[in-house]
Amino acid sequence: MRDHNLTVYNSLTRQKEKFETLHPGFAGMYVCGPTVYNDVHLGNCRTFISFDIIYRYLKFLGYTVRYVRNITDVGHLLDDGEDRMSKGARLDNLEPMEVAQKYTLGFHQVMRLFNTLPPSIEPRATGHIIEQIEMVKKILDNGFAYEANGSVYFDTIKFAKETGEYGKLSGRVIEELLSETRDNLKNQDEKRNPADFAIWMKASDEHIMRWPSPWSIGFPGWHLECSAMSTKYLGEQFDIHGGGNDLKFPHHENEVAQNLGACNVHPARYWLHTNMLLMNGKKMSKSDGNTISPYELLTGNSSHVSKGYSPMVVRFFMLQSHYRSTNDLTDDALQAAEKGYKRLMEAYKSLDSLTSNQTINSELDEKVSSIIQGAWDDMDDDFNTPRAIARLFELVTIINSLKEGQTSLDKISQNSLKELKEAFNIIIFDILGLKVEDGSNDESVDGLMQLIIELRQIARSNKDWPTADKIRDSLNELKIQIKDGKDGSTWTYL
Ligand code: AMP
Ligand code: ZN
């Protein structure tokens, strides 16, 4: 384990706290994953890229991390009470599981493009109905839920009064909940209070997703899956629970209530919440047309961008703001990120050509060490990637002046150059998760691509247009573009 002074901002206590895991050397992290009833959007990507950084950094520090990120494939209700999955299924005329599979695969593909590491476990809500039913039983046994017409509701008011715990995470106060009268109940009059929420729902005749339970044939409430699956894979108490800050209420507040209601312990020690991705200063929203999909952003096929940006430029753009700040996606910001990313990669490539001398502890050596130490301090300070990136650019300036022989300081010593190369590599590739994008860092991919380009050339010279087109189109599907120029063909990632 490396020495560190990691502090994280805990949404539960609203302050930065020293990070100490329940079991030394091990870290358990649960992050609310996507609801797979339509394509993943860039806002989701921002949250998952943020937790990818946290996962990578904890691993770098030497923790054995179990990272659980669920797939919500049942139970996420729309306002009109219709299950999102069933609705997706009806619109696409597919089985709910077909919808879930289609969008789960699409989600994985986007995560791979952004070089996001897969979680250690990716449990699906539909695969954990038994665990959810068991949890409902426990909550009922402990007196914090009641049954009504085959559905089971969490008794929020009783829980709030008896434990004093409801509302701590989201800052809602019990008086607010109590002031919501029964008049607000509308059609949901099975509930005793509007703040009560379903942990088991009786399925109507037309509801497609349904399972038998002691109370009715039905389906679990959305909040329940995360309580049941985090408990199953990480234990009743674990280290980090994460998600976007739009989930704080009601989802996370209700998760805490369910865990306390069933197991009488707070599930997570640290609650980490990412802030929202905006576009041109406004929240991304499909209904306003203020939205762009990952593929539209990568291909440039959208009125919101002047051109396509590569996955690593988008990732770099995301990391240039702290995960707790909003992040505003604009064409100008992406252009700036593209320049910055290229500058960083060029500096990385020129590191190999730098020479050192034997001077020990020169002024420059000390400067390099202190910048690198600063970058580690930034990462220890609640994963402050924008500040760590700013330090990298201080190193880029040093690398460039060494390369051009312009530095007025002593040349760098062998040890310091080694330290510089190591830190640059670790921060850029292992922690920020960036990749060199022109294929030059992956010899086998490059070799394979040269072979495919040659085969396409042969097809073209034989006037075998169907084969040539098939190669080009299949590569396009893999987000790889072949460009034909007068000196032959080259390839790039789209
Ligand atoms: P969902 O599929 O809507 O349940 O969301 C999956 C994850 O993405 C959750 O952690 C959300 O909080 C997060 N999320 C949704 N919209 C945004 C956004 N605009 N910016 C950042 N994160 C978001
Ligand atoms: Zn969740």
Side-chain angles (χ1 to χ4, degrees), residues 30-33 70 72 222-223 225-226 241-242 247 251-252 255:
Y30 186 92
V31 173
C32 293
N70 68 304
T72 296
W222 165 42
H223 313 301
E225 61 172 279
C226 291
H241 193 311
L247 294 185
H251 184 53
H252 290 161
E255 253 190 84

Side-chain angles (χ1 to χ4, degrees), residues 45-57:
C45 296
R46 195 231 172 158
T47 287
F48 301 133
I49 290 173
S50 301
F51 283 102
D52 184 54
I53 297 294
I54 292 172
Y55 180 38
R56 285 169 181 271
Y57 193 59

Side-chain angles (χ1 to χ4, degrees), residues 360-485:
I360 296 164
N361 278 338
S362 71
E363 205 181 319
L364 183 58
D365 291 351
E366 274 173 34
K367 192 169 173 193
V368 166
S369 278
S370 94
I371 296 173
I372 292 170
Q373 187 50 49
W376 297 133
D377 293 344
D378 294 332
M379 287 307 295
D380 272 353
D381 182 10
D382 196 24
F383 316 100
N384 198 323
T385 53
R387 281 220 316 260
I389 289 173
R391 308 260 189 204
L392 281 178
F393 281 109
E394 289 179 44
L395 294 176
V396 168
T397 306
I398 293 176
I399 293 168
N400 289 345
S401 59
L402 280 169
K403 187 174 124 197
E404 286 152 23
Q406 282 171 358
T407 177
S408 56
L409 301 161
D410 285 346
K411 276 190 128 188
I412 196 162
S413 75
Q414 228 167 15
N415 282 346
S416 186
L417 184 59
K418 189 164 166 269
E419 188 191 352
L420 174 61
K421 284 182 182 175
E422 263 175 23
F424 217 68
N425 250 295
I426 291 173
I427 297 173
I428 293 180
F429 301 113
D430 298 350
I431 294 172
L432 299 182
L434 296 168
K435 286 196 298 192
V436 181
E437 262 184 333
D438 57 8
S440 60
N441 65 331
D442 192 336
E443 284 173 16
S444 58
V445 171
D446 215 25
L448 282 171
M449 282 308 303
Q450 292 316 325
L451 177 65
I452 292 168
I453 287 172
E454 269 173 48
L455 292 174
R456 181 164 164 272
Q457 275 321 114
I458 293 169
R460 276 157 66 105
S461 52
N462 291 339
K463 298 205 177 349
D464 177 1
W465 307 121
T467 304
D469 289 350
K470 181 170 173 39
I471 293 175
R472 189 201 50 218
D473 295 345
S474 304
L475 288 173
N476 275 350
E477 273 174 31
L478 296 168
K479 308 289 165 217
I480 291 173
Q481 188 181 34
I482 294 189
K483 285 188 184 150
D484 299 312

Side-chain angles (χ1 to χ4, degrees), residues 106-367:
F107 166 62
H108 287 161
Q109 204 173 9
V110 171
M111 289 293 100
R112 260 197 310 275
L113 269 177
F114 289 131
N115 204 26
T116 302
L117 298 175
S120 337
I121 305 180
E122 195 171 43
R124 286 168 174 247
T126 53
H128 297 77
I129 301 293
I130 293 171
E131 289 81 355
Q132 294 181 73
I133 290 175
E134 287 308 306
M135 199 156 209
V136 175
K137 284 186 194 162
K138 276 194 192 169
I139 299 172
L140 276 168
D141 287 349
N142 291 340
F144 291 120
Y146 55 91
E147 190 191 340
N149 296 328
S151 293
V152 182
Y153 294 96
F154 192 89
D155 194 336
T156 309
I157 302 298
K158 182 174 180 211
F159 172 80
K161 281 185 181 159
E162 283 185 19
T163 65
E165 291 287 347
Y166 198 77
K168 276 197 176 160
L169 182 62
S170 60
R172 305 261 161 150
V173 279
I174 179 76
E175 283 72 25
E176 270 177 36
L177 298 173
L178 284 169
S179 69
E180 295 179 14
T181 65
R182 277 190 64 90
D183 298 343
N184 293 347
L185 284 174
K186 294 179 194 152
N187 301 331
Q188 305 154 348
D189 53 11
E190 288 166 357
K191 291 191 201 175
R192 291 180 189 162
N193 189 287
D196 295 351
F197 56 93
I199 49 181
W200 185 264
M201 285 289 274
K202 182 180 174 178
S204 58
D205 288 345
E206 64 274 16
H207 203 97
I208 315 171
M209 304 189 85
R210 44 175 61 224
W211 291 265
S213 79
W215 314 286
S216 62
I217 293 183
F219 55 95
W222 165 42
H223 313 301
L224 192 64
E225 61 172 279
C226 291
S227 289
M229 297 191 288
S230 61
T231 306
K232 170 156 177 157
Y233 295 111
L234 297 171
E236 289 180 359
Q237 265 206 304
F238 51 93
D239 301 298
I240 296 178
H241 193 311
N245 66 9
D246 57 332
L247 294 185
K248 252 190 218 171
F249 190 87
H251 184 53
H252 290 161
E253 192 68 66
N254 291 349
E255 253 190 84
V256 174
Q258 291 165 157
N259 280 72
L260 279 162
C263 314
N264 201 24
V265 280
H266 261 279
R269 289 181 80 170
Y270 307 99
W271 282 85
L272 270 52
H273 286 104
T274 56
N275 213 324
M276 294 290 105
L277 180 69
L278 311 176
M279 187 159 68
N280 299 319
K282 286 193 295 182
K283 189 176 181 340
M284 268 206 193
S285 145
K286 276 197 182 156
S287 48
D288 297 351
N290 193 42
T291 184
I292 183 168
S293 74
Y295 287 120
E296 284 168 346
L297 182 54
L298 300 178
T299 56
N301 186 15
S302 158
S303 59
H304 295 295
V305 284
S306 58
K307 64 187 192 93
Y309 293 93
S310 73
M312 285 305 109
V313 167
V314 177
R315 185 174 170 108
F316 185 65
F317 159 76
M318 301 267 192
L319 302 180
Q320 279 180 308
S321 65
H322 188 256
Y323 77 88
R324 280 191 289 116
S325 311
T326 52
N327 190 0
D328 193 11
L329 187 121
T330 63
D331 198 51
D332 285 351
L334 288 161
Q335 302 238 7
E338 188 172 64
K339 274 200 197 124
Y341 169 75
K342 281 189 179 150
R343 210 168 148 237
L344 202 56
M345 288 302 143
E346 264 148 33
Y348 160 73
K349 283 180 196 161
S350 54
L351 266 177
D352 272 346
S353 61
L354 296 187
T355 50
S356 54
N357 71 10
Q358 297 304 316
T359 324
I360 296 164
N361 278 338
S362 71
E363 205 181 319
L364 183 58
D365 291 351
E366 274 173 34
K367 192 169 173 193

